[in-house]
Amino acid sequence: MKYFENNLARYSDIKLLLANEEAVRQNKRFIEKDLNRVFGTNDMSTHEGKLSAQILPEITSATYVLDIHTTTSDIRLTPIIGNLNPYVTTILRFCPFPEVAYLQP
């Protein structure tokens, strides 16, 4: 996230969205439920369920979504992509990632 905040001027079409600001403030992965697990469930009973309802229109209207996760694991920064086309390749060239995971259908 910091990389894009510092280099946002290089990307004319990028919108940054910090999905779970409250969890970040509390230095937690989530407040009540894992945000990834509530998308599409219509669960409005939790903090993350309400967030997913707000975020879903943003990501469904986007051409591409770069979903950056926080972790406490000792892993390298690795983008996982599902589509490799010239636009994705251009974005990846701007990013300082040592490797990319390409998940094909």
Side-chain angles (χ1 to χ4, degrees):
M1 185 79 166
K2 287 286 184 205
Y3 174 83
F4 289 105
E5 287 174 351
N6 295 334
N7 294 282
L8 193 57
R10 295 172 72 180
Y11 308 97
S12 60
D13 304 12
I14 288 185
K15 179 179 185 175
L16 292 178
L17 174 67
L18 179 56
N20 200 339
E21 293 181 58
E22 185 60 31
V24 171
R25 270 195 289 280
Q26 293 185 31
N27 198 29
K28 297 167 81 175
R29 180 162 163 72
F30 54 85
I31 302 300
E32 297 175 85
K33 286 189 175 180
D34 187 329
L35 183 57
N36 290 327
R37 305 297 180 257
V38 296
F39 271 99
T41 64
N42 296 318
D43 175 5
M44 298 299 284
S45 66
T46 64
H47 172 75
E48 283 78 11
K50 292 172 188 160
L51 282 177
S52 71
Q54 294 171 353
I55 295 167
L56 197 56
E58 296 286 339
I59 62 175
T60 55
S61 65
T63 304
Y64 297 97
V65 174
L66 176 60
D67 184 8
I68 302 172
H69 290 250
T70 58
T71 182
T72 56
S73 301
D74 186 24
I75 60 170
R76 292 190 293 210
L77 181 62
T78 304
I80 301 170
I81 62 171
N83 187 356
L84 185 60
N85 60 42
Y87 188 74
V88 172
T89 302
T90 299
I91 292 171
L92 291 173
R93 284 191 183 128
F94 283 111
C95 303
F97 306 123
E99 60 194 13
V100 175
Y102 180 29
L103 299 181
Q104 299 178 17

